[in-house]
Structure formats: structure tokens, C-alpha cells
Amino acid sequence: MKMKKKMYIKTWGCQMNEYDSSMISGILKQRKHYEITNIPEKADILILNTCSIREKAQEKVFHQLGRWKYLKKQKPDLIIAVGGCVATQEGKEIKKRAKYVDIIFGTQTLHRLPKMIDLSHKIKKTIIDITFPKIEKFDYLPEPYIPNISSFVSIMEGCNKYCSFCIVPYTRGKEISRPCDDIIFEISLLAEKGVREVNLLGQNVNAYKGNTFNGKICKFSELLRLIAEIDGIDRIRFTTSNPIEFTDDIIDVYRDTPKLVSFLHLPVQSGSDRILKLMKRSYTVSEYKTIINKLLNVRPNIQISSDFIVGFPGETEQDFQDTLTLINDIKFDISYSFLYSPRPGTPAARLADNVTQNKKKQRLYILQNLINQQTTYWNKKLLYSTQSVLVEGVSKKNIMKLSGRTETNRIIHFTGSPDMIGKFINLKITDYYRNTLQGHVIES
């Protein structure tokens, strides 16, 4: 019996990259009969799906490829493929510096991998395809396999906002929305296979405007309502949204659609209007707070998380204090914060980076400490409460326990039976840690 070939996929970055890697895996399974392996040495193809958000992202890629170079020497027929945002941004440089790389593909051309693999075997030269063929890749979605209880679904790609610090518009392209009917069909198939919760993905998910079968445009708020009508789907999440397009019609969905969870990740980046202007974020602190207040009016129990960039060029002590004031005012839940570092090719990279590294680190420590205090505040509020939890499976921390997720995105560990997996269970919160909860099942 002929042995199936094996693929090893290493993924860096955001949830969109994780989604893309699952697409790559599914496509190569169905069209090339590859099996996944977690051991690089056993692979016939090594795939690196890259991210360009973090500092020194390019060098991180070359370090990884340098390690794989030795595997290539031991196994000359091994294919090395590099995809994702760094590949889109630095494709020619990768070919120049790592001549042993066989395939370089972009965020919008991953579906072409099977043909690129065939071509690589024939011509023995580096193949590059980092073009932007709109949203063609979603026409090649693999058939749904047995998914998790909660699944990601990409509804759009790219971004038109061109924030001064962000590389995404240059690596993911302009905003392109998937047709509404394709999304509803995909989610319906997932529901038939037991998915109970979907998490809608996009670089700027609330900018969604997809075509419908009758030639009309479906807005994000309308898409949310259509998904809520699908039998079997009981929770809807989405990430990441932009305050610029967080319009009143979306807030209305929170008012009348219980399936949309009471948790929102809405990146603000800074609490200073002056810095927001330099970032080209196109909203003010006051406008951001207005959105939050409107949400609280229709969902008083909603919890908000955010993103913060610390030490943006020109950030003064007062700018930083304004950010802390906003954090105190909103009482953000678990949030993400980063030291500013210039991304080559972005407008902000041309600004004088006049905040010292030590000062950035000091400010980041203060900001994260405040966020941690507020996370503890929200954890304490949950203590002894009853929460509806979607049970996802065996706990990664203790195989004798199960774990699930509350509506407000908290992971909770508890003692239960295997038949609870995939169901909603009422749990009483008995203890909390920084990012997780403990609970026990409430008998019905």
C-alpha cells in the first residue's frame, strides 16, 4: 500500500492565519491526499504561514527557514513553502535570501498550492504567486470535515482604513466581502455537523458588505440576523471590528438578537485624540465612548476588550495618561497591548520614534497592570454566579476535567461527563484565576 505524503504546517499570527492554515490543510488533504504531521522531520512538505504584525517578523521567518534548510539537505525532495503576510510583503527577498525555498504564496493564493506543488516537482525552481485575485480562494474551500463545537468562519478579507502603523492593507489587500449566500451555506453545513457557535473573522469585520443572490448588498447587521436564524447555531461572535463602522444598526442587533454574545473586542489603540489622529484612526475618544455607552444601554452586562499600542511616535506623558483614563472609564476586560515598533512600508515608519525603549516598557507595565486589575474585577463579579457554558471538550490543563467557554469569553474548567461535550451546561462559578474560571455543574 502506497504511503500517504505528510504535511507540516507552522502558523504564526492572528486568527485569520489560523483559519487560512486550516484551509491549506483541508485543500491538501482533499486534492493531494496529504496527511498532517506534528513532526517536521517526517514531512514531505513544510509550510510556514507567516505574520508581519510583530517586530522583526521578517528575521523570524529567515531564522525558521534556516532551521528547515538542514532538513532539506537530508531530504532533497522535501518541499518548503512560505505563505502569509511576510510572503506577500517580502516574496522576492525570501527567494533571494533562501534559494532553497520551493514555493512562495500569498494570503489570497493559498488555494493554488496543489498546482504549485505539481509545478515545483517539474521545474525545480522557486515558484512565487503573491497576487491578489480578489476573494477567489473561498471558491476552493475544502468540504467541511468534523469540526469543533465552535468554528471560525471568514466573511471578508483586507482593509481600506490604512492606519498609519498597520501593514495589513499591503499584505491582505483591499476590503473584499464574501457573498452572503456562501457564508450562510457554509455555516449551515457546520451546524449540520454539530457546530453550536461561530466566530466571524475579518480584518475589519463590521465593514462587511456582501452580495446576495438577487444583486443586493447585505450589511454586517443583516448578516448577523441571518446567521441567528440558522438552526443549531446558538452563539455568534466576531472579530475584529473597527469603531469607524460600528454603526447603530449593529448596536440594534445587540438589542434584539440574544444569540449574539455579550462580549465585544473593539480596538481603540489609544486614549489620546492627538495620537489617534497620528495613527489615522479617524475617530475621537468621545466617539468611541459614545459607541460603548450605546451598547451598554441595550446590553448592560456586555464586557469590552480592546487593543492598545504603547509608545507610538510622539506619545507624551499626557497622551499616555489619557489612555489610562479611558481604560479606567470603560473598565476593559482582558485586552491586548503592545510596544510600538515600526513596520517597514507604513506611514508611521517615517515618523520620529522619539519614545525611548525603556519609557515604552515602563508605560506598558503600568497599562497591563491596570488591565489586569480590571480583569480581576470582572472575574470577581462572576464569582458564585450561574453561567451558561458551551462545553468544548477535555480541559487542556487537567484531562480529568472538561472545559468550556462562557458567553463573556472566559474559559472555565469543571468536573463533568463526556456526554456534556457540545452542549450548553449551567455552571456555578466557584473560583477564578487571571484568565480562567473554576465551576461545578448545577443539577437541573
mmCIF file of all heavy atoms in Angstrom, residues 5 17 23 42 69 86 141 146 197 215 239 249 261 269 310-311 335 337 349 394 410-411 420:
data_model
loop_
_atom_site.group_PDB
_atom_site.id
_atom_site.type_symbol
_atom_site.label_atom_id
_atom_site.label_comp_id
_atom_site.label_asym_id
_atom_site.label_seq_id
_atom_site.Cartn_x
_atom_site.Cartn_y
_atom_site.Cartn_z
ATOM 1 N N LYS A 5 1.567 10.988 1.647
ATOM 2 C CA LYS A 5 2.547 12.027 1.953
ATOM 3 C C LYS A 5 2.071 12.838 3.156
ATOM 4 O O LYS A 5 0.869 12.913 3.443
ATOM 5 C CB LYS A 5 2.751 12.928 0.741
ATOM 6 C CG LYS A 5 3.461 12.221 -0.407
ATOM 7 C CD LYS A 5 3.816 13.204 -1.515
ATOM 8 C CE LYS A 5 4.635 12.505 -2.596
ATOM 9 N NZ LYS A 5 5.035 13.457 -3.660
ATOM 10 N N ASN A 17 -4.933 33.906 10.187
ATOM 11 C CA ASN A 17 -3.878 32.989 9.761
ATOM 12 C C ASN A 17 -4.191 31.551 10.166
ATOM 13 O O ASN A 17 -3.932 30.605 9.415
ATOM 14 C CB ASN A 17 -2.528 33.419 10.346
ATOM 15 C CG ASN A 17 -1.772 34.345 9.407
ATOM 16 O OD1 ASN A 17 -2.379 35.025 8.584
ATOM 17 N ND2 ASN A 17 -0.461 34.384 9.531
ATOM 18 N N MET A 23 -7.578 25.971 6.085
ATOM 19 C CA MET A 23 -7.943 25.858 4.678
ATOM 20 C C MET A 23 -6.868 25.106 3.895
ATOM 21 O O MET A 23 -7.159 24.222 3.083
ATOM 22 C CB MET A 23 -8.131 27.246 4.056
ATOM 23 C CG MET A 23 -9.503 27.857 4.235
ATOM 24 S SD MET A 23 -9.724 29.350 3.222
ATOM 25 C CE MET A 23 -9.709 28.669 1.577
ATOM 26 N N LYS A 42 9.291 14.260 9.558
ATOM 27 C CA LYS A 42 8.525 13.239 8.845
ATOM 28 C C LYS A 42 7.764 13.806 7.643
ATOM 29 O O LYS A 42 7.140 13.049 6.895
ATOM 30 C CB LYS A 42 7.533 12.565 9.800
ATOM 31 C CG LYS A 42 8.186 11.694 10.860
ATOM 32 C CD LYS A 42 7.142 10.922 11.649
ATOM 33 C CE LYS A 42 7.804 9.952 12.632
ATOM 34 N NZ LYS A 42 6.792 9.166 13.390
ATOM 35 N N LYS A 69 16.415 24.413 6.451
ATOM 36 C CA LYS A 69 17.410 24.196 5.397
ATOM 37 C C LYS A 69 18.149 22.879 5.611
ATOM 38 O O LYS A 69 18.444 22.143 4.656
ATOM 39 C CB LYS A 69 18.387 25.366 5.371
ATOM 40 C CG LYS A 69 19.472 25.261 4.318
ATOM 41 C CD LYS A 69 20.391 26.475 4.387
ATOM 42 C CE LYS A 69 21.500 26.400 3.344
ATOM 43 N NZ LYS A 69 22.394 27.591 3.425
ATOM 44 N N VAL A 86 4.114 37.928 5.496
ATOM 45 C CA VAL A 86 5.516 38.201 5.186
ATOM 46 C C VAL A 86 5.834 37.747 3.771
ATOM 47 O O VAL A 86 6.578 38.415 3.038
ATOM 48 C CB VAL A 86 6.465 37.535 6.207
ATOM 49 C CG1 VAL A 86 7.922 37.728 5.804
ATOM 50 C CG2 VAL A 86 6.243 38.123 7.598
ATOM 51 N N LEU A 141 -12.877 26.354 -0.968
ATOM 52 C CA LEU A 141 -12.990 25.863 0.404
ATOM 53 C C LEU A 141 -13.113 24.343 0.414
ATOM 54 O O LEU A 141 -13.905 23.783 -0.352
ATOM 55 C CB LEU A 141 -14.217 26.469 1.099
ATOM 56 C CG LEU A 141 -14.084 27.857 1.715
ATOM 57 C CD1 LEU A 141 -15.445 28.313 2.222
ATOM 58 C CD2 LEU A 141 -13.091 27.849 2.868
ATOM 59 N N ILE A 146 -15.205 17.017 10.226
ATOM 60 C CA ILE A 146 -15.860 17.038 11.533
ATOM 61 C C ILE A 146 -15.212 18.161 12.348
ATOM 62 O O ILE A 146 -14.081 18.035 12.817
ATOM 63 C CB ILE A 146 -15.714 15.697 12.257
ATOM 64 C CG1 ILE A 146 -16.372 14.593 11.419
ATOM 65 C CG2 ILE A 146 -16.347 15.755 13.640
ATOM 66 C CD1 ILE A 146 -16.173 13.198 11.974
ATOM 67 N N GLU A 197 -21.442 27.184 17.807
ATOM 68 C CA GLU A 197 -21.019 28.584 17.915
ATOM 69 C C GLU A 197 -20.121 28.924 16.726
ATOM 70 O O GLU A 197 -19.245 28.137 16.366
ATOM 71 C CB GLU A 197 -20.258 28.794 19.225
ATOM 72 C CG GLU A 197 -19.630 30.174 19.389
ATOM 73 C CD GLU A 197 -18.765 30.257 20.634
ATOM 74 O OE1 GLU A 197 -19.314 30.564 21.702
ATOM 75 O OE2 GLU A 197 -17.546 29.992 20.538
ATOM 76 N N GLY A 215 -28.699 40.313 -6.209
ATOM 77 C CA GLY A 215 -27.966 41.509 -6.620
ATOM 78 C C GLY A 215 -27.930 42.628 -5.606
ATOM 79 O O GLY A 215 -27.360 43.694 -5.882
ATOM 80 N N THR A 239 -14.766 38.993 15.240
ATOM 81 C CA THR A 239 -13.533 39.731 15.481
ATOM 82 C C THR A 239 -12.821 39.908 14.139
ATOM 83 O O THR A 239 -12.910 39.035 13.289
ATOM 84 C CB THR A 239 -12.644 38.970 16.492
ATOM 85 O OG1 THR A 239 -11.562 39.770 16.888
ATOM 86 C CG2 THR A 239 -12.075 37.689 15.896
ATOM 87 N N ASP A 249 -27.072 50.360 13.469
ATOM 88 C CA ASP A 249 -27.800 49.144 13.072
ATOM 89 C C ASP A 249 -27.153 47.898 13.657
ATOM 90 O O ASP A 249 -27.839 46.900 13.925
ATOM 91 C CB ASP A 249 -27.910 49.047 11.548
ATOM 92 C CG ASP A 249 -26.557 49.023 10.861
ATOM 93 O OD1 ASP A 249 -25.720 49.884 11.189
ATOM 94 O OD2 ASP A 249 -26.326 48.165 9.995
ATOM 95 N N VAL A 261 -23.282 37.251 21.348
ATOM 96 C CA VAL A 261 -22.802 37.204 22.729
ATOM 97 C C VAL A 261 -22.609 38.596 23.328
ATOM 98 O O VAL A 261 -22.414 39.586 22.620
ATOM 99 C CB VAL A 261 -21.469 36.423 22.837
ATOM 100 C CG1 VAL A 261 -21.660 34.993 22.395
ATOM 101 C CG2 VAL A 261 -20.365 37.104 22.031
ATOM 102 N N GLN A 269 -6.770 51.462 20.526
ATOM 103 C CA GLN A 269 -5.341 51.729 20.306
ATOM 104 C C GLN A 269 -4.761 52.819 21.199
ATOM 105 O O GLN A 269 -3.634 52.707 21.674
ATOM 106 C CB GLN A 269 -5.042 52.056 18.829
ATOM 107 C CG GLN A 269 -5.552 51.033 17.830
ATOM 108 C CD GLN A 269 -4.939 49.653 17.984
ATOM 109 O OE1 GLN A 269 -4.072 49.412 18.799
ATOM 110 N NE2 GLN A 269 -5.440 48.714 17.212
ATOM 111 N N VAL A 310 1.402 51.080 22.811
ATOM 112 C CA VAL A 310 2.085 51.937 23.779
ATOM 113 C C VAL A 310 3.372 52.480 23.165
ATOM 114 O O VAL A 310 4.142 51.738 22.552
ATOM 115 C CB VAL A 310 2.414 51.145 25.062
ATOM 116 C CG1 VAL A 310 3.210 51.996 26.038
ATOM 117 C CG2 VAL A 310 1.129 50.640 25.718
ATOM 118 N N GLY A 311 3.600 53.790 23.335
ATOM 119 C CA GLY A 311 4.832 54.399 22.850
ATOM 120 C C GLY A 311 4.829 54.736 21.378
ATOM 121 O O GLY A 311 5.881 54.738 20.729
ATOM 122 N N SER A 335 -7.469 42.433 27.619
ATOM 123 C CA SER A 335 -7.143 43.181 26.411
ATOM 124 C C SER A 335 -5.707 42.910 25.991
ATOM 125 O O SER A 335 -4.915 42.339 26.741
ATOM 126 C CB SER A 335 -7.350 44.683 26.640
ATOM 127 O OG SER A 335 -8.720 44.975 26.864
ATOM 128 N N SER A 337 -2.075 44.470 24.526
ATOM 129 C CA SER A 337 -1.289 45.700 24.470
ATOM 130 C C SER A 337 0.111 45.386 23.965
ATOM 131 O O SER A 337 0.671 44.331 24.269
ATOM 132 C CB SER A 337 -1.230 46.361 25.852
ATOM 133 O OG SER A 337 -0.820 45.444 26.846
ATOM 134 N N ALA A 349 6.241 54.532 9.976
ATOM 135 C CA ALA A 349 7.664 54.189 9.992
ATOM 136 C C ALA A 349 8.531 55.403 9.651
ATOM 137 O O ALA A 349 9.724 55.427 9.966
ATOM 138 C CB ALA A 349 7.941 53.050 9.020
ATOM 139 N N VAL A 394 -12.304 18.160 26.553
ATOM 140 C CA VAL A 394 -11.482 17.864 27.729
ATOM 141 C C VAL A 394 -10.561 19.048 28.006
ATOM 142 O O VAL A 394 -9.996 19.649 27.090
ATOM 143 C CB VAL A 394 -10.655 16.582 27.507
ATOM 144 C CG1 VAL A 394 -9.723 16.316 28.678
ATOM 145 C CG2 VAL A 394 -11.586 15.390 27.281
ATOM 146 N N ARG A 410 -14.822 33.662 28.787
ATOM 147 C CA ARG A 410 -13.965 33.098 29.814
ATOM 148 C C ARG A 410 -13.923 31.574 29.673
ATOM 149 O O ARG A 410 -14.970 30.931 29.565
ATOM 150 C CB ARG A 410 -14.486 33.430 31.217
ATOM 151 C CG ARG A 410 -14.235 34.827 31.684
ATOM 152 C CD ARG A 410 -12.753 35.084 31.948
ATOM 153 N NE ARG A 410 -12.578 36.288 32.719
ATOM 154 C CZ ARG A 410 -12.710 37.524 32.245
ATOM 155 N NH1 ARG A 410 -13.018 37.701 30.990
ATOM 156 N NH2 ARG A 410 -12.508 38.572 33.024
ATOM 157 N N ILE A 411 -12.724 31.016 29.715
ATOM 158 C CA ILE A 411 -12.587 29.561 29.754
ATOM 159 C C ILE A 411 -12.843 29.095 31.174
ATOM 160 O O ILE A 411 -12.335 29.680 32.134
ATOM 161 C CB ILE A 411 -11.186 29.130 29.294
ATOM 162 C CG1 ILE A 411 -10.981 29.481 27.816
ATOM 163 C CG2 ILE A 411 -10.985 27.628 29.501
ATOM 164 C CD1 ILE A 411 -9.590 29.255 27.316
ATOM 165 N N MET A 420 -21.583 15.681 27.960
ATOM 166 C CA MET A 420 -21.857 17.118 28.036
ATOM 167 C C MET A 420 -21.187 17.901 26.900
ATOM 168 O O MET A 420 -21.565 19.038 26.631
ATOM 169 C CB MET A 420 -21.369 17.682 29.378
ATOM 170 C CG MET A 420 -22.126 17.182 30.585
ATOM 171 S SD MET A 420 -21.425 17.866 32.106
ATOM 172 C CE MET A 420 -22.574 17.205 33.322
#
